[in-house]
Amino acid sequence: MEINKLHKHLIDCKYLVSTDTRKIIPKSIFFALKGENFDGNDYAIEAIKKGASYAVVDTDLQNDSYKNQIIKVDNVLQTLQNLGKFNRKKSSAKVIALTGSNGKTSTKELIKSVLEIRFETICTDGNLNNHIGVPLSLLKIRPETEIAIIEMGANNFGEIDFLTNLIIPDIGYITNFGKAHLEGFKDLDGVIKGKTELYRWMFKEKRSLLINSDDKIQTKFIDDNSVTFGSNEKSNYNFKNISTQKVSVKYNNTIVSTNLYGNYNYSNVCAAISMGLLFEIDIDHISKKLVNFELKNNRSEIINKNDKKIILDAYNANPSSMISAIESFSLILGSKVAILGDMYELGNLKEQEHKHIIEICTCKKIDSCIFIGEIFFSQRIKKSSYYFFKNKVDFLNKFKTIESKNILIKGSRGMKMEEIYNRLL
């Protein structure tokens, strides 16, 4: 089927899309995607029976009862990607593309919170930021959408370039460059090369970039179409960090206070404010909106429970984000224990990076550190206030409670460190 005809079906279905028969949206288009252990074509008829208006498949299905609802294409995934790009090109919405090693999702949510003050704004759901998630996000753009914020993730070269070509952004932003996905990028230079595929596309198309002028790496990419923010007075938007425990910034004579924890969220907040100012939203309105902003889903959540302050930062971790979390946590007053889980996707550097994290902890004012996971365990050291466990079960069998008043919980997504909070606190 031609992409414009499929797009008409999308409009008829009110831009509703499903990819999982366990979560079929009534009157949606079902895309029969394939995975390592499943073939969506096998579930296409089930999707229609459960309420999907159409099923897009790339195999022959012999079923006369639903033949008018089955759309055969050469490749379902490519069709989904092409449809996402087609829908974006049909829209007059301003599109912001966002990537980076750390803080992508938090920054995306902050920017959305600011821009929706004045504009009809949509953004990527959660962290659906890959070759499937990006086109699904683009299909959320409707005629009334004025701004779309699309998050991009990558763990190898060429992926950001591919996603950027789908998104066709008007504005691009990279949160930072850190030691993440080193299995694919190999080292920090590789991360920079991979992430700046966005910059190179923007340069070629003469599109705008938002750049953190406090980041020495990013300042190398400033061009005539760049908008800058930071503590440098020459930045387009100049901020002063007045944070104590929670992130607060000063812009001109206005103080913007938030409920966000950690110095690593400072640049995320500044980026969101800058994006709002770029779209001519009043700083006072931004301040009023951000004062109540809260992150969810285990991202730097501050939870007060049983006279304890728990920083639950268990959504994901890499060496850069782990160091930032440890440094911010060490500044908290009172007794402190850090519970840290293994970091994944570090390739041949996994032992080296875990050892480095342990060394950093020894230099910080943290009363006790608990390291969980086989990689941390392989790098264990003898220190009276340090504890090493191969897994969460061993840890929970040893510790029934935590006495410290302040607790940091952080680890890679695969470690599911939030289970410690649910079981222990």
Side-chain angles (χ1 to χ4, degrees):
M1 176 178 284
E2 295 178 3
I3 204 71
N4 61 331
K5 290 183 179 179
L6 183 57
H7 190 256
K8 289 178 181 178
H9 285 315
L10 177 71
I11 296 171
D12 292 339
C13 292
K14 302 187 185 302
Y15 298 85
L16 299 175
V17 173
S18 297
T19 60
D20 187 339
T21 51
R22 295 167 297 183
K23 303 173 184 176
I24 289 294
I25 302 170
K27 299 183 179 179
S28 63
I29 299 180
F30 172 76
F31 284 84
L33 298 170
K34 295 184 178 72
E36 289 184 8
N37 301 311
F38 67 91
D39 184 343
N41 291 291
D42 297 335
Y43 302 94
I45 301 302
E46 179 185 346
I48 295 172
K49 289 180 178 179
K50 286 185 173 181
S53 294
Y54 300 97
V56 180
V57 303
D58 50 19
T59 191
D60 290 320
L61 296 180
Q62 303 299 324
N63 194 307
D64 292 337
S65 299
Y66 302 104
K67 63 180 181 180
N68 293 328
Q69 293 174 270
I70 295 171
I71 300 171
K72 172 77 182 311
V73 298
D74 292 334
N75 184 293
V76 171
L77 176 58
Q78 288 181 6
T79 299
L80 176 67
Q81 293 166 342
N82 292 338
L83 183 62
K85 184 173 184 177
F86 186 87
N87 189 56
R88 184 270 176 268
K89 292 173 74 173
K90 281 283 186 179
S91 171
S92 60
K94 291 290 184 182
V95 179
I96 300 167
L98 184 152
T99 190
S101 298
N102 306 310
K104 294 186 294 296
T105 302
S106 298
T107 303
K108 174 203 68 185
E109 297 294 340
L110 279 161
I111 292 173
K112 180 178 184 293
S113 181
V114 169
L115 295 182
E116 66 185 8
I117 294 171
R118 182 176 170 186
F119 301 99
E120 190 70 33
T121 306
I122 65 103
C123 70
T124 300
D125 288 330
N127 68 332
L128 296 176
N129 57 22
N130 62 5
H131 62 297
I132 296 173
V134 165
L136 288 173
S137 298
L138 293 173
L139 293 178
K140 290 176 60 181
I141 301 174
R142 301 182 179 216
E144 65 270 20
T145 303
E146 295 176 286
I147 299 177
I149 309 159
I150 311 297
E151 179 182 331
M152 299 186 295
N155 54 27
N156 219 320
F157 301 108
E159 293 177 354
I160 292 296
D161 182 64
F162 175 78
L163 296 177
T164 304
N165 275 285
L166 290 183
I167 296 169
I168 316 175
D170 299 291
I171 302 172
Y173 176 59
I174 298 177
T175 58
N176 49 51
F177 305 103
K179 294 180 179 180
H181 303 296
L182 297 184
E183 281 184 327
F185 291 127
K186 306 303 181 186
D187 54 24
L188 183 58
D189 288 339
V191 173
I192 295 169
K193 180 181 178 182
K195 296 296 184 182
T196 54
E197 289 171 3
L198 169 63
Y199 283 169
R200 290 189 284 277
W201 189 95
M202 302 298 280
F203 293 151
K204 180 182 176 182
E205 299 297 327
K206 294 181 170 55
R207 304 291 174 93
S208 298
L209 291 172
L210 180 67
I211 289 183
N212 180 359
S213 59
D214 291 334
D215 186 328
K216 292 181 181 179
I217 299 174
Q218 298 214 34
T219 55
K220 299 176 183 178
F221 296 93
I222 295 174
D223 72 345
D224 293 339
N225 294 312
S226 299
V227 176
T228 60
F229 72 87
S231 58
N232 189 325
E233 292 182 357
K234 294 182 180 180
S235 301
N236 294 102
Y237 303 116
N238 177 240
F239 297 96
K240 182 179 180 181
N241 187 355
I242 56 174
S243 303
T244 52
Q245 290 296 313
K246 296 181 180 180
V247 176
S248 294
V249 306
K250 186 175 182 180
Y251 174 75
N252 291 339
N253 295 317
T254 301
I255 294 175
V256 181
S257 300
T258 76
N259 285 317
L260 297 180
Y261 160 85
N263 286 330
Y264 48 86
N265 272 314
Y266 165 71
S267 60
N268 299 340
V269 171
C270 292
I273 296 171
S274 299
M275 202 69 79
L277 295 171
L278 184 61
F279 280 90
E280 301 182 346
I281 298 175
D282 187 87
I283 186 62
D284 290 330
H285 295 158
I286 296 173
S287 179
K288 290 177 182 177
K289 187 67 182 292
L290 290 184
V291 71
N292 294 315
F293 178 88
E294 292 184 352
L295 289 170
K296 301 294 184 182
N297 299 323
N298 308 322
R299 291 183 174 91
S300 301
E301 288 187 68
I302 300 177
I303 303 168
N304 294 297
K305 185 175 181 180
N306 300 330
D307 296 324
K308 300 180 187 299
K309 177 186 285 185
I310 301 107
I311 294 97
L312 184 58
D313 195 4
Y315 185 78
N316 215 341
N318 57 54
S320 300
S321 67
M322 188 74 87
I323 292 170
S324 295
I326 292 167
E327 289 178 342
S328 292
F329 184 61
S330 69
L331 300 175
I332 292 177
L333 300 177
S335 59
K336 297 182 284 288
V337 59
I339 306 175
L340 309 177
D342 276 355
M343 303 171 292
Y344 293 160
E345 297 184 60
L346 296 179
N348 295 331
L349 296 176
K350 62 182 180 181
E351 286 88 3
Q352 174 185 322
E353 293 297 341
H354 282 75
K355 181 180 179 181
H356 184 50
I357 294 298
I358 296 169
E359 292 172 346
I360 286 174
C361 288
T362 63
C363 302
K364 300 299 178 182
K365 293 182 179 180
I366 300 175
D367 300 291
S368 180
C369 290
I370 297 168
F371 302 93
I372 302 173
E374 292 187 358
I375 311 174
F376 269 132
F377 191 80
S378 71
Q379 302 301 309
R380 61 192 181 279
I381 62 173
K382 288 185 177 181
K383 186 175 172 61
S384 59
S385 58
Y386 281 30
Y387 304 89
F388 293 84
F389 299 93
K390 286 186 177 181
N391 51 59
K392 295 193 294 283
V393 173
D394 289 349
F395 163 69
L396 291 168
N397 286 337
K398 174 76 173 179
F399 283 85
K400 304 302 179 185
T401 185
I402 298 292
E403 299 299 330
S404 296
K405 293 293 184 182
N406 301 286
I407 303 167
L408 169 66
I409 303 174
K410 186 168 179 65
S412 276
R413 180 83 299 270
M415 288 295 295
K416 298 181 180 178
M417 295 294 285
E418 67 275 8
E419 293 177 357
I420 289 174
Y421 168 76
N422 295 332
R423 288 275 304 278
L424 194 64
L425 301 164

